[in-house]
Amino acid sequence: MDTLNEILTEVSGFLWGWPMIILLLGTHLFLTIRLKFPQKHIFKAIKLSVQKDPDATGDVSQFGSLATALAATIGTGNIIGVATAIALGGPGAVLWCWLTGVFGISTKYAEGLLAIKYRVQTADGKMLGGPMYALERGLGWKWLAVLFALFTALAAFGIGNTVQANAIATVAHESYGISPYITGAFVCLLTAAVVLGGVKSIAKVCSMLVPFMAFFYVLGCVYILIVNAPYLWPALKLICHAAFSPEAAGGGFIGSTVMMAARFGIARGLFSNESGMGSAPIVAAAARTRNPVRQALVSSSGTFWDTVVICALTGLVIVSSVLAYPDIDFSNGATLTKDAFSKIPVIGRPLLTFGLLTFAFSTILGWCYYGERAVEYLKGKQWVKGYRVIYIIAVFSGSVMNLTLVWNLADCMNALMAIPNLISLLMLSGIIVHETRKFLWRDRLDKEN
């Protein structure tokens, strides 16, 4: 196991080196420029996300689709992932994480558009889509579509399952002394109760859970930043300085290179918002929408909420808390978040516990759907029930096992998912521009496809 973990660490380091950073940020920037900065339509996207489109074709509402995607993306990456990026890459990693989100809005928009453009309808009326269908139907590259689906089915057990279940069990044990075996069994039963009902059940639960959990977490972070107000401006300056300087600007932080700040900030940014990974378009394809651009805009708002808002707030809370309380161990990513939040009286620890428990559980639900659709693409509908059972069992396993190996495997799978998806986005960018011109630039969002 130690040897395998060392190998995966090396592979992860290679996959998340300069080539991936250039490919990922390059795609974000390329699509931002070619699509004439779709970020400027973010408020229109947010408005569309809460509007009903009952006459459109699809399985769930646009909001249900967005809520399911947010459920999958708003997870431990928003809390522990940000802390890990800061511990490994320095405070500058927060800015790189945030920039990944800002420019990633364009990529998430493009993913959502292709998901609707190339989705298929099954004999029983269900909508299926995602990068594997764009690769097969748009580019004719079935072999690459199969690889993407395979990486997705495997990644679901890492980023979407065992990592999240372990976070829940760890928080429950450290905060309330509950055995991981008891927590694992309980979360396992909750997961089964939701996912066995399929996409509509998952979307219904996520539509209720996501707004509630995000609102209270954001409200709590704002309160902490008010408490840390004297250190907020110094924290912002430190984050900006450290993102482009090989030396730390003081405050007890350990120096790191620009490459390390960029690598860990971008990696955790993708882990958090999944823009470019190709996971969110799988559920976007199930949305009831009258044309691809409407859902593309709705999908893009997910990255805004996940990274531009929630990850940025988490990063500011952690950095300002380290400046305010120098005794916090900055070098330990596993305990950095807990130490930072615990310094805030009354609300700090409960807020962290609430955020981790709800964020992690929602991610388990969202990623189950992604994995199911990948398996259905690979082997057919008859394999989905078996996959669900294995997925539910993995929730319990993740609660009681050591996850150092799983974290490295998750990073590798994330990168391997992103590569074919980013290729499809670049190769089909002409189609994306055509559809955007047809519906968005000509102000025809209410028209049928």
Side-chain angles (χ1 to χ4, degrees), residues 142-271:
K142 174 78 173 181
W143 64 274
L144 196 55
V146 169
L147 284 178
F148 174 85
L150 178 62
F151 295 145
T152 301
L154 293 174
F157 287 102
I159 183 177
N161 187 317
T162 51
V163 166
Q164 310 297 332
N166 190 265
I168 294 174
T170 301
V171 169
H173 180 67
E174 291 181 352
S175 301
Y176 307 105
I178 301 173
S179 168
Y181 290 91
I182 295 175
T183 303
F186 181 69
V187 177
C188 192
L189 290 173
L190 279 180
T191 303
V194 178
V195 303
L196 292 178
V199 64
K200 292 185 178 180
S201 175
I202 294 173
K204 183 178 180 180
V205 173
C206 292
S207 296
M208 294 185 292
L209 180 61
V210 168
F212 173 78
M213 71 183 193
F215 173 77
F216 279 98
Y217 183 75
V218 169
L219 200 64
C221 285
V222 170
Y223 168 78
I224 293 175
L225 291 177
I226 292 173
V227 173
N228 289 348
Y231 300 92
L232 184 56
W233 181 244
L236 283 168
K237 290 197 297 183
L238 176 60
I239 288 169
C240 294
H241 174 82
F244 303 102
S245 172
E247 298 179 357
F253 286 94
I254 301 170
S256 62
T257 65
V258 174
M259 176 61 190
M260 287 177 66
R263 176 194 163 190
F264 289 107
I266 292 171
R268 294 309 171 193
L270 176 59
F271 183 90

Side-chain angles (χ1 to χ4, degrees), residues 101-137:
V102 171
F103 291 107
I105 289 173
S106 300
T107 303
K108 188 64 72 75
Y109 168 90
E111 291 175 322
L113 191 153
L114 292 181
I116 300 296
K117 177 70 176 178
Y118 293 109
R119 68 181 179 179
V120 299
Q121 189 169 21
T122 62
D124 58 359
K126 185 171 61 177
M127 290 294 184
L128 301 177
M132 52 276 207
Y133 293 91
L135 285 163
E136 180 182 352
R137 302 183 70 216

